[in-house]
Amino acid sequence: MRAAEQALIEYEIALETFRVEVENFSRLHHQKLGPMYARLDELDAQIAEATAARTGDPEDRRKAAEARAQVMPMPGVEELFHGWMDGEGLYPEAAAMLTDQSVRPPQRVRPGEEARKLYRELARKAHPDLAQEEGERQRREEFITRVNAAYARGDEAMLRELSEEWAAGPVPEEQRLTRSEELYARLEWLAQRKELLTVLAKELEESAIGGMLRLAPDDPDTLLDEIAEQLLAQVAEREAELARLRD
């Protein structure tokens, strides 16, 4: 049972670290590359409009109207709330502002090595799956929620404080399982938990951002820079094309 518990915890640690990278990559992708995509849309619209003005062809005018519509879409929930929320609720930064907490968006897709080390150590010590009683499980879940939030920000200082807090806190008494029925029930719960996590891991891996991260598993932060370079090259090409059409 102990081996099964430890295997599950290691699996959850790997899943959580990947989830953080997927979420951070998505947010940084939008933050850093969003303006470039917007610029490309604008240039595409201007090129289509310039082409239509030259040819006067109805089909070119239709294409120009479609390209312009891509630049000015109907506002969605995120736009209406000025980037404070999406369909799933408030962004972490917005929630932090409303609760007077410090706003710390991620600086990199993958937190630093020291942050990863501290996170793994805390997760192995304080993981809720190690609890046998509901009260202890709840205490651990609340603590791990704070650990996950600090790790997502790459906040090494906070992770160190949480490590000290856990070390100084109450150490739950080890409970020995004496009945075989309890042991089997525990193993069954671990198996069900593993099955659920496997589904979640598959969803992350098959997502668009997960697919992009697989292109640069060793250093996902460099992938953003590479995409930015490609987009800048596309912007330059579009600008040159637009200049030729306007000459």
Side-chain angles (χ1 to χ4, degrees):
M1 186 189 71
R2 296 302 183 194
E5 286 178 339
Q6 193 60 40
L8 180 65
I9 288 172
E10 294 298 326
Y11 189 78
E12 290 198 45
I13 289 173
L15 178 59
E16 178 62 18
T17 54
F18 184 59
R19 186 198 65 77
V20 165
E21 290 184 13
V22 168
E23 182 177 305
N24 286 352
F25 190 95
S26 178
R27 292 164 66 189
L28 290 172
H29 183 275
H30 178 74
Q31 174 186 327
K32 293 183 176 182
L33 306 184
M36 296 185 190
Y37 286 117
R39 177 60 177 162
L40 283 172
D41 287 343
E42 175 62 31
L43 287 169
D44 285 340
Q46 292 184 22
I47 289 171
E49 290 165 350
T51 300
R54 276 197 169 196
T55 65
D57 186 277
E59 179 63 15
D60 287 338
R61 288 199 294 268
R62 183 189 66 78
K63 292 179 179 179
E66 289 182 353
R68 177 54 61 186
Q70 292 296 320
V71 180
M72 297 181 294
M74 291 294 291
V77 173
E78 180 179 352
E79 288 78 14
L80 291 174
F81 285 87
H82 307 290
W84 276 43
M85 67 181 296
D86 59 11
E88 297 182 355
L90 287 173
Y91 285 137
E93 292 88 348
M97 291 177 66
L98 293 175
T99 55
D100 295 326
Q101 299 176 10
S102 60
V103 181
R104 291 285 305 278
Q107 299 300 314
R108 303 173 67 242
V109 173
R110 178 171 294 167
E113 180 59 36
E114 182 63 21
R116 295 202 299 273
K117 177 182 177 182
L118 289 166
Y119 168 73
R120 294 189 187 102
E121 290 176 352
L122 280 168
R124 288 167 182 147
K125 294 176 182 177
H127 202 283
D129 289 350
L130 294 175
Q132 298 294 323
E133 295 182 352
E134 184 58 31
E136 175 61 14
R137 180 174 183 83
Q138 182 176 353
R139 183 179 81 90
R140 287 171 176 261
E141 286 178 346
E142 292 173 354
F143 182 79
I144 286 296
T145 297
R146 296 161 59 200
V147 171
N148 289 342
Y151 176 70
R153 298 191 304 269
D155 193 338
E156 295 179 15
M158 178 55 69
L159 288 170
R160 290 192 186 93
E161 290 182 12
L162 289 169
S163 182
E164 293 174 0
E165 177 182 328
W166 182 259
V171 179
E173 295 182 1
E174 182 179 358
Q175 297 187 0
R176 296 182 179 178
L177 299 177
T178 57
R179 299 178 60 187
S180 60
E181 291 83 4
E182 293 177 352
L183 178 60
Y184 287 127
R186 178 66 172 166
L187 289 172
E188 183 179 1
W189 181 88
L190 291 171
Q192 292 173 350
R193 178 69 174 168
K194 176 66 181 297
E195 183 177 350
L196 173 62
L197 293 174
T198 300
V199 173
L200 295 176
K202 184 177 180 181
E203 291 177 354
L204 283 173
E205 291 172 353
E206 294 180 351
S207 67
I209 296 297
M212 294 179 72
L213 282 173
R214 287 199 297 272
L215 298 175
D218 296 329
D219 189 4
D221 292 279
T222 61
L223 183 59
L224 286 173
D225 296 332
E226 293 173 1
I227 296 175
E229 290 180 3
Q230 295 172 6
L231 291 177
L232 286 173
Q234 293 177 30
V235 167
E237 292 174 0
R238 301 288 207 288
E239 289 176 340
E241 182 179 355
L242 181 60
R244 288 193 299 269
L245 287 170
R246 289 177 171 175
D247 286 341

